Amino acid sequence: MEKLDACIRNHDKEIEKMCNFHHQGFVDAITELLKVRTDAEKLKVQVTDTNRRFQDAGKEVIVQTEDIIRCRIQQRNITTVVEKLQLCLPVLEMYSKLKEQMSAKRYYSALKTMEQLENVYFPRVSQYRFCQLMIENLPKLREDIKEISMSDLKDFLESIRKHSDKIGETAMKQAQQQKLFSVILQKQNNVKFGKTVYINDRIPEERNEIVLKPVFEEEDENEEEVLTVQDLVDFSPVYRCLHIYSVLGDEETFENYYRKQRKKQARLVLQPQSNMHETVDGYRRYFTQIVGFFVVEDHILHVTQGLVTRAYTDELWNMALSKIIAVLRAHSSYCTDPDLVLELKNLIVIFADTLQGYGFPVNRLFDLLFEIRDQYNETLLKKWAGVFRDIFEEDNYSPIPIVNEEEYKTVISKFPFQDPDLEKQSFPKKLPMSQSVPHIYIQVKEFIYASLKFSESLHRSSTEIDDMLRKSTNLLLTRTLSSCLLNLIKKPHIGLTELVQIIINTTHLEQACKYLEDFITNITNISQETVHTTRLYGLSTFKDARHAAEGEIYTKLNQKIDEFVQLADYDWTMSEPDGRASGYLMDLINFLRSIFQVFTHLPTNSNDHAAMSGKVAQTACMSACQHLSTSLMQMLLDSELKQISMGAVQQFNLDVIQCELFASSEPVPGFQGDTLQLAFIDLRQLLDLFMVWDWSTYLADYGQPASKYLRVNPNTALTLLEKIKDTSKKNNIFAQFRKNDRDKQKLIETVVKQLRSLVNGMSQHT
C-alpha cells in the first residue's frame, strides 16, 4: 500500500507538471475561441439566412425531383412488365394455338404443342397462377384427345367394315384382270412359238368366259380408272390415332385395342349367311368381305410400323383360312347344281390369286378345290344321269333311218361310225344303232368339256389334267352310264326287241371309246402311250351292260314261256288223246321261232360280233328250251294235281314231241347234233317209260351208265305213277273182276313198292 501510495503521488506530480506545462496553451486557446465566437455567430446568421434562402429556392426542385423519381419508378415498372409480358406472350400464343388445333381436330399437332409448352414455355412462367391453371388443364386435354382419336378409330373400323365389300371387289377385279392379261400374253407367246395348248378352239373361249363371269359384269362396259385401297378408304384416322398414342407413350394400348377389334371383325366377316350356298352372290359377298379385310390389314402392315406385324397377319390369316375352308366345305356340300359349283370354284381361284398377290399362302385353298372337284364331278354325274335317262326315254330303240347323204354326214359328224359295206349301200338305208347312241356320245364329250372347266386355273400340269379328265370320264362310264343302262334293261316296258337293240347300241358305244380317248388326248396333248396315262373303262362297262341285257333277254323269254304255259288247260282225266298238240304249245313254239329270228339283227360287222350274236342266240334258245322242259315237268309233278290218266299222258307226250321237233328244226344255227334236243331228254325218257310201260327194264338197269332211262329219277317216276294208280283205281272200280285190269293194278302196286324201296334206299344212302 505504501508503494502504491508512493506511485500515486508520483503520478499526481507528473500530472500537475503536465497541466502546468499546457495551461498557457489552454488559456491561449480559450482566448482565441472567444475571439472566434463573434465571427461564428455572424457566420451562423449568414448560414441560416443562406439555408432559408436556399430552402425557399429548392422547393420547386424537390417537387420536380420527386416527379422525376416517380417517372423513373413507373418507367422501371413498365420495363419490367414488358419483359414479363414478352415472356408470357409466347406461352399464351402457344396455348391459343393449342386451342385452335383442338378446334381444328389437329390432335397430333396439339400434342406436339403441349410438349413444347411443357418443356420450353411453362418453365419460364411457372411462377404465375395462369400457368398453373394451364398445366393442370393439359392432362385433361390429352385425355380428350385420346377419347376423340379413339372415337375416330372406331368410326374408321366401322367404315372399313362397311367398305370391305367394295375393297375386296376392287382387289379381286384387279387380280382377275392381271390374270387375264397373263393368259392373253401366254396365248400370244404360244401362237408366236407355234405351240397349241388346245386343239379344240372352243376351250379357250369358254375359259375366258368362265374367268370373267364371276366378277362384277356391270363394269365391263366402261373401263374405270384403277382404284387402290387408299382411294376407297381414308386411313388418316388410323395414322392420327397411332401417332397420338405414340406421342402419349401408350402405343401398346392402341395396338392391342386395334388388333382385338380387328380380330372381332374378322370373326364377323368369316361368319357366313345361312343361305350362302343357294346363289353365287352369297359366295361372292363372302369372298369380297374377306379380301377387303385382309387388303386393309396388308396396307396397315406396310404403311405403319408396329401396329400390325407379319406374324400377326399370318396368325390371323391361318385362323381365317381354317374357318374359310370349314365354311366352304360345309356349304359346298349342299350345292347340287354343277354350274353353281363351277362358279364357286372360279370365285375360290380368284380369291386365292388375289390374296396370294398380297403375300398370303393359299395352298390349302387349292387343296380344298380338289375336294370340291370330287363334289363337282358328283354333281356332274347326277346331272348326266338325268340326261342319260332322258335320252333313253326318248329313244325308239330302232335303227336310225338315213334318207340322203346329208343326213348320213350329219350323223357321222356326231358319232364316229365306220362301215364300208353300209357306205356302199344306196339311200335310203339304216344305221344299226338307234338315236340314243350318237346322243350318248355327244353327251359324254359334253361331260368331258364340263369336267375340263373345273381343271382350269388350278395350276396343274397337263398330265394331271389329263388324269383328272380320264378318271372322271371313267366314273361317268362305269358308274353313271352303266347304272342307267342297267336300270333301263330292268324296266318292265323294255321288250325283247328293245333289249336286242340295246346290245347293238352298247357294241357301237364300246367301239367309240377309243375316239373318246383321242378326244381327251387332243385336249391335253398327253399321249396315250405315256406310262401313267389312265385308260377308259368303256370296254368293261358296255360288256357288263350287254351281259345284263342278255340275262334280261333270257329272263323275259322265260317269263313269256311261263305266260304261255299258264294258258295250258289239260283234261288230266281224258281217256284218249286229241291226236294233235295243244294249242297253247303251238302258239308258244311259233312265238319262239319269231323271237329267234330277231337275233339275226345283232351286229355282225366283225368276226367277234358274229360270234357274239351267235352265242347270244344259242344261249337264249337253249335257255328257253330248258325252261320249257322244266315248266312241263313241274306241270306233271304239281302237288295239286292228284290224278293223271294215261290218255292225258299220251296227250302230254304229243306236246313234248312238238317241242322236240322244234328243237330239231334248228331254230338258231350253230348247235351241234341234237344238243338242243337234250333239253327235253328228262321228259322224253320219263314219258317213254310210261308209254311203253317198261318197268322191268327200268328197275333192272337202274344205276347203270348205259341204262335206257338214265335220266329218270325214281322219286319223279314214283310221283307220276301214284297219280296214274289213283286214276286207274277210280276208273276200274266196277271192272275189278276183269283179270287184265286186276293184273295191271297189281303190277302198278308192285312197281310202286319197288320205287319206294329205291327212294328210301337213296334217302338212307344220302
Side-chain angles (χ1 to χ4, degrees):
M1 289 299 291
E2 291 176 355
K3 289 181 178 180
L4 181 60
D5 291 338
C7 184
I8 292 171
R9 286 191 297 274
N10 288 332
H11 282 294
D12 289 338
K13 289 178 179 180
E14 290 178 359
I15 292 171
E16 185 178 357
K17 288 179 179 179
M18 177 112 14
C19 290
N20 291 331
F21 178 78
H22 291 290
H23 180 264
Q24 188 61 40
F26 178 74
V27 172
D28 293 338
I30 291 299
T31 302
E32 289 178 0
L33 286 173
L34 289 175
K35 292 178 179 179
V36 174
R37 179 176 181 180
T38 304
D39 295 333
E41 289 177 355
K42 293 178 180 179
L43 180 62
K44 179 178 179 183
V45 171
Q46 291 175 355
V47 170
T48 303
D49 183 60
T50 302
N51 180 57
R52 179 182 56 75
R53 287 187 284 111
F54 184 78
Q55 290 293 333
D56 293 339
K59 287 181 180 180
E60 184 177 354
V61 175
I62 290 172
V63 173
Q64 292 177 356
T65 302
E66 289 177 355
D67 291 340
I68 291 173
I69 291 172
R70 191 165 49 252
C71 288
R72 293 292 185 186
I73 292 172
Q74 289 178 355
Q75 186 178 8
R76 186 176 65 249
N77 290 339
I78 289 172
T79 302
T80 303
V81 169
V82 169
E83 290 176 356
K84 298 301 182 182
L85 286 177
Q86 287 177 346
L87 191 63
C88 293
L89 276 177
V91 178
L92 297 174
E93 289 174 355
M94 291 296 290
Y95 196 80
S96 176
K97 181 181 178 182
L98 173 62
K99 289 295 185 179
E100 292 176 359
Q101 290 171 341
M102 291 291 292
S103 300
K105 298 183 179 180
R106 297 165 53 198
Y107 302 116
Y108 179 72
S109 301
L111 289 174
K112 289 297 183 182
T113 303
M114 289 183 193
E115 286 186 355
Q116 290 181 341
L117 285 171
E118 289 178 329
N119 298 328
V120 178
Y121 294 97
F122 282 166
R124 299 174 183 174
V125 293
S126 59
Q127 68 273 23
Y128 301 112
R129 189 160 56 90
F130 77 89
C131 180
Q132 296 299 325
L133 294 176
M134 290 181 182
I135 292 173
E136 293 173 0
N137 195 36
L138 289 186
K140 181 178 181 301
L141 291 177
R142 284 193 174 95
E143 289 300 323
D144 292 343
I145 291 174
K146 287 180 67 174
E147 292 177 2
I148 294 171
S149 61
M150 186 59 70
S151 176
D152 291 344
L153 177 65
K154 292 178 180 178
D155 294 340
F156 166 78
L157 293 175
E158 181 65 22
S159 174
I160 61 173
R161 188 182 69 83
K162 294 179 180 178
H163 289 85
S164 291
D165 281 349
K166 186 63 177 177
I167 297 170
E169 177 183 318
T170 303
M172 291 177 70
K173 182 182 178 184
Q174 292 172 359
Q176 178 194 18
Q177 291 175 344
Q178 183 178 0
K179 183 174 182 179
L180 178 59
F181 293 150
S182 300
V183 171
I184 294 174
L185 182 61
Q186 182 180 6
K187 183 178 179 182
Q188 291 174 349
N189 292 335
N190 290 334
V191 173
K192 180 178 179 181
F193 293 103
K195 297 179 180 179
T196 303
V197 179
Y198 295 97
I199 288 182
N200 194 317
D201 293 336
R202 173 182 174 184
I203 305 301
E205 295 175 2
E206 290 195 351
R207 170 189 292 186
N208 295 340
E209 179 184 352
I210 293 165
V211 173
L212 288 173
K213 183 177 180 181
V215 190
F216 305 87
E217 299 171 351
E218 62 271 13
E219 296 183 5
D220 291 345
E221 297 179 359
N222 300 320
E223 293 186 3
E224 299 180 357
E225 182 182 356
V226 177
L227 299 176
T228 62
V229 65
Q230 295 94 328
D231 299 325
L232 298 173
V233 178
D234 179 18
F235 286 92
S236 58
V238 179
Y239 306 150
R240 286 197 303 269
C241 199
L242 177 60
H243 292 159
I244 288 169
Y245 273 80
S246 299
V247 171
L248 294 175
D250 204 7
E251 186 176 1
E252 184 178 355
T253 300
F254 173 72
E255 292 175 1
N256 293 335
Y257 177 81
Y258 177 84
R259 295 180 184 182
K260 181 179 179 181
Q261 293 301 316
R262 289 297 280 165
K263 282 184 178 181
K264 288 182 179 179
Q265 288 188 345
R267 294 188 181 96
L268 291 176
V269 167
L270 294 172
Q271 189 66 31
Q273 296 181 353
S274 59
N275 61 343
M276 183 179 73
H277 60 277
E278 295 178 358
T279 62
V280 70
D281 290 335
Y283 288 108
R284 184 182 293 115
R285 284 193 300 270
Y286 183 68
F287 286 127
T288 54
Q289 288 179 352
I290 296 174
V291 170
F293 178 89
F294 282 100
V295 167
V296 170
E297 289 303 291
D298 181 76
H299 179 77
I300 295 294
L301 172 67
H302 288 90
V303 299
T304 61
Q305 294 181 352
L307 180 56
V308 295
T309 61
R310 176 57 67 182
Y312 162 78
T313 55
D314 289 344
E315 178 187 357
L316 196 61
W317 169 245
N318 290 330
M319 181 272 292
L321 189 58
S322 300
K323 178 66 175 178
I324 292 168
I325 291 175
V327 167
L328 292 178
R329 186 179 286 124
H331 281 263
S332 63
S333 62
Y334 296 111
C335 295
T336 57
D337 182 7
D339 295 333
L340 180 58
V341 178
L342 183 61
E343 290 178 338
L344 172 60
K345 168 258 174 182
N346 293 325
L347 279 174
I348 293 175
V349 170
I350 297 174
F351 172 75
D353 289 343
T354 303
L355 290 175
Q356 190 175 34
Y358 285 91
F360 296 99
V362 294
N363 292 334
R364 291 173 63 190
L365 286 174
F366 285 101
D367 294 338
L368 173 66
L369 283 175
F370 282 95
E371 298 180 22
I372 298 179
R373 180 201 64 190
D374 296 335
Q375 181 186 346
Y376 175 72
N377 286 336
E378 289 297 325
T379 58
L380 284 182
L381 292 175
K382 291 179 181 178
K383 178 180 178 180
W384 257 259
V387 171
F388 290 151
R389 284 195 295 268
D390 293 341
I391 291 174
F392 289 141
E393 288 293 333
E394 295 171 1
D395 194 11
N396 56 8
Y397 298 100
S398 60
I400 301 175
I402 303 297
V403 178
N404 51 41
E405 183 72 19
E406 183 179 355
E407 289 187 3
Y408 182 76
K409 290 181 179 180
T410 301
V411 175
I412 297 303
S413 65
K414 297 178 181 178
F415 182 77
F417 175 76
Q418 295 178 354
D419 188 348
D421 295 335
L422 185 63
E423 290 179 359
K424 295 176 183 179
Q425 296 178 12
S426 60
F427 294 99
K429 53 188 175 184
K430 291 184 178 182
L431 299 181
M433 64 278 194
S434 65
Q435 290 286 353
S436 63
V437 173
H439 292 164
I440 291 293
Y441 182 78
I442 291 172
Q443 287 301 321
V444 172
K445 292 175 67 176
E446 290 296 327
F447 177 87
I448 295 173
Y449 279 132
S451 182
L452 176 63
K453 290 178 183 178
F454 197 92
S455 302
E456 299 294 336
S457 306
L458 291 186
H459 309 300
R460 297 294 170 178
S461 64
S462 298
T463 303
E464 291 176 304
I465 293 176
D466 180 85
D467 186 63
M468 293 178 193
L469 291 180
R470 293 179 184 274
K471 286 182 178 179
S472 59
T473 306
N474 276 331
L475 283 176
L476 179 73
L477 295 177
T478 59
R479 198 170 77 184
T480 305
L481 182 55
S482 176
S483 176
C484 290
L485 282 171
L486 293 177
N487 291 335
L488 173 68
I489 291 168
K490 296 295 183 181
K491 286 187 176 181
H493 69 274
I494 298 297
L496 294 172
T497 305
E498 288 82 0
L499 289 171
V500 171
Q501 186 62 53
I502 290 173
I503 294 176
I504 298 173
N505 292 347
T506 55
T507 303
H508 289 285
L509 288 172
E510 178 184 332
Q511 294 171 352
C513 283
K514 63 179 182 179
Y515 296 99
L516 291 175
E517 290 190 339
D518 294 339
F519 176 72
I520 296 175
T521 300
N522 290 338
I523 292 177
T524 60
N525 283 336
I526 300 299
S527 174
Q528 299 181 33
E529 284 72 24
T530 304
V531 176
H532 300 291
T533 300
T534 305
R535 310 296 297 182
L536 294 185
Y537 301 145
L539 185 64
S540 61
T541 298
F542 297 119
K543 276 187 177 180
D544 293 341
R546 275 199 302 277
H547 292 160
E550 292 168 6
E552 193 66 17
I553 287 176
Y554 308 149
T555 301
K556 287 185 179 295
L557 195 57
N558 292 342
Q559 290 175 351
K560 202 67 178 177
I561 291 173
D562 291 338
E563 292 176 5
F564 278 99
V565 171
Q566 289 176 1
L567 298 176
D569 188 20
Y570 287 102
D571 182 7
W572 297 107
T573 60
M574 63 171 57
S575 58
E576 295 293 336
D578 293 338
R580 62 181 183 277
S582 302
Y584 85 92
L585 189 67
M586 297 306 299
D587 293 339
L588 172 58
I589 291 174
N590 291 333
F591 166 76
L592 292 176
R593 291 186 188 278
S594 63
I595 285 297
F596 292 135
Q597 289 178 359
V598 175
F599 286 95
T600 59
H601 296 293
L602 286 174
T604 58
N605 54 350
S606 68
N607 293 333
D608 292 339
H609 290 164
M612 182 273 295
S613 62
K615 181 180 178 182
V616 172
Q618 291 172 13
T619 306
C621 187
M622 177 60 74
S623 174
C625 291
Q626 290 176 343
H627 186 73
L628 177 58
S629 175
T630 302
S631 299
L632 292 175
M633 180 69 78
Q634 290 175 350
M635 189 184 302
L636 278 177
L637 303 179
D638 188 3
S639 59
E640 295 182 0
L641 180 61
K642 303 301 183 182
Q643 297 176 351
I644 300 178
S645 66
M646 284 304 299
V649 173
Q650 293 172 359
Q651 180 63 42
F652 199 82
N653 183 56
L654 291 176
D655 293 344
V656 174
I657 291 174
Q658 288 298 322
C659 294
E660 292 172 329
L661 291 175
F662 168 74
S664 62
S665 66
E666 198 175 10
V668 174
F671 286 106
Q672 296 180 355
D674 56 353
T675 303
L676 194 58
Q677 292 174 273
L678 292 177
F680 301 97
I681 188 64
D682 291 356
L683 272 175
R684 172 47 50 213
Q685 290 186 7
L686 179 64
L687 291 174
D688 285 349
L689 177 61
F690 279 88
M691 294 296 295
V692 299
W693 211 253
D694 194 7
W695 290 105
S696 58
T697 304
Y698 173 74
L699 294 172
D701 296 341
Y702 176 74
Q704 300 297 323
S707 173
K708 180 179 179 181
Y709 305 103
L710 181 64
R711 308 283 297 182
V712 178
N713 186 286
N715 198 11
T716 302
L718 176 61
T719 301
L720 184 58
L721 186 60
E722 286 181 337
K723 295 180 180 182
I724 294 175
K725 181 185 72 172
D726 293 339
T727 305
S728 299
K729 286 183 178 180
K730 182 178 180 180
N731 293 337
N732 295 329
I733 189 169
F734 297 107
Q736 57 182 334
F737 298 106
R738 290 201 294 267
K739 185 175 185 301
N740 291 336
D741 294 333
R742 290 199 305 272
D743 293 341
K744 184 176 181 181
Q745 190 66 29
K746 288 181 180 180
L747 176 60
I748 291 174
E749 292 177 353
T750 302
V751 172
V752 167
K753 291 179 181 179
Q754 291 177 345
L755 288 175
R756 283 177 179 169
S757 63
L758 278 178
V759 171
N760 293 333
M762 290 172 60
S763 300
Q764 293 176 0
H765 177 71
T766 301

